[in-house]
Amino acid sequence: MRFHVLTIFPAMFDGPLSESIISRAVERGLVRVNLHDIRDYATDKHRSVDDYPYGGGYGMVMKPEPIFDAYTAVKHAASLGEDTPVVLLTPQGTPFSQPIAERLATLDDIVLICGRYEGVDERVREQVANCELSVGDYVLSGGELAAMIVIDAVTRLIPGAVGSIESTQDDSFSTGLLQFPQYTRPAEHEGGKVPDILLSGNHGEIEKWRRRESLRRTYHRRPDLLDSVTLSDNDRRFIDTLRSNDN
Ligand code: ADE
């Protein structure tokens, strides 16, 4: 998997790329993160990448030409196909989610365009990007942190990036539910006890307990998720008991 990142702040990526799962995946040759400085494609002597908005208003807008040219150069150098996702990171995009990360993790190439300042010339949206993603309903000072979120969430789903692929299968959202509570040693700490069932060695019962706790957590914290998950009859009965406890 190759990520091709267009940014005016490539150095922002140094930290995340040099630590933990992403750096290991890069070392193992599972992913490559190619950083392209949009400023290298500026054509004036000041290397400008932004300009005043037509029609007036506050702030600056990222100019189209350096982004168009950066993308064209990357597309040719990396022989990208027409179906490669070219993602503009923007708060106006589709909310990024685990299912989207799972889909992206199956691809060979992803282009990530990091917007900055108050916006990006609309023609980048119309003619370069074929997809827009938001990482949440808040405004970051640019798309770089959002791009890192996408790179991280996608990379850990690539087989071989995380210790075992099973360890991503219980993640919150992978099942459509929030994750069950996790514990490690000691069995008792500062009066807080690990539930007996987890010490029992009874894997069947442990699985049932985990499913119920996932349902409980989701019911209390993110009941909206329950609308789009497939529930068994047992699940439904358990949720009914949670509901009746509320009343
Ligand atoms: N750029 C600024 N804010 C953003 C957000 N919430 N998601 C993606 N890109 C952004």
Side-chain angles (χ1 to χ4, degrees):
M1 151 81 69
R2 296 182 299 180
F3 295 99
H4 311 272
V5 184
L6 276 51
T7 170
I8 56 169
F9 293 118
M12 279 184 74
F13 290 78
D14 289 351
L17 292 181
S18 61
E19 300 283 347
S20 187
I21 286 173
I22 301 182
S23 80
R24 242 189 2 245
V26 171
E27 276 164 26
R28 290 178 183 166
L30 300 171
V31 303
R32 284 189 59 171
V33 183
N34 299 329
L35 299 168
H36 304 277
D37 190 341
I38 294 171
R39 214 174 274 286
D40 291 343
Y41 297 87
T43 49
D44 63 331
K45 68 173 191 292
H46 302 293
R47 302 182 81 211
S48 331
V49 288
D50 61 340
D51 206 341
Y52 295 99
Y54 273 122
Y58 295 107
M60 303 291 271
V61 174
M62 284 184 82
K63 288 161 66 64
E65 309 95 306
I67 299 179
F68 271 62
D69 291 349
Y71 170 64
T72 304
V74 169
K75 184 179 172 186
H76 288 124
S79 306
L80 300 181
E82 291 304 319
D83 51 352
T84 299
V86 182
V87 181
L88 177 66
L89 283 313
T90 161
Q92 301 172 26
T94 304
F96 184 53
S97 62
Q98 195 66 23
I100 295 177
E102 283 165 10
R103 212 169 328 128
L104 293 178
T106 64
L107 305 178
D108 293 331
D109 291 282
I110 304 172
V111 179
L112 298 167
I113 304 176
C114 307
R116 272 268 139 182
Y117 306 117
E118 275 67 28
V120 174
D121 188 283
E122 189 66 13
R123 287 160 291 188
V124 171
R125 284 208 153 82
E126 293 167 350
Q127 297 176 45
V128 181
N130 55 23
C131 160
E132 296 179 34
L133 290 177
S134 163
V135 296
D137 289 345
Y138 42 79
V139 180
L140 301 166
S141 49
E144 282 76 10
L145 289 170
M148 290 180 222
I149 287 172
V150 172
I151 292 171
D152 187 283
V154 171
T155 297
R156 59 191 296 286
L157 295 175
I158 294 174
V162 171
S164 72
I165 197 68
E166 289 79 17
S167 63
T168 63
Q169 285 168 3
D170 286 335
D171 288 345
S172 289
F173 305 112
S174 294
T175 56
L177 299 172
L178 300 184
Q179 200 194 33
F180 46 79
Q182 291 275 39
Y183 296 87
T184 185
R185 287 186 287 185
E188 187 173 345
H189 178 68
E190 302 267 346
K193 286 191 177 148
V194 175
D196 286 340
I197 184 77
L198 297 179
L199 310 176
S200 70
N202 184 334
H203 295 293
E205 286 305 311
I206 290 172
E207 281 314 304
K208 279 190 218 157
W209 180 87
R210 287 182 162 164
R211 179 76 186 175
R212 283 197 301 269
E213 293 312 308
S214 273
L215 289 165
R216 187 196 307 279
R217 200 151 263 196
T218 309
Y219 175 80
H220 287 301
R221 299 183 185 193
R222 291 291 306 278
D224 55 299
L225 296 176
L226 293 174
D227 295 336
S228 27
V229 72
T230 314
L231 298 172
S232 68
D233 289 346
N234 272 341
D235 292 339
R236 266 179 234 289
R237 271 194 293 277
F238 183 68
I239 290 169
D240 285 343
T241 63
L242 294 173
R243 220 170 260 135
S244 59
N245 290 342
D246 284 348
N247 301 324

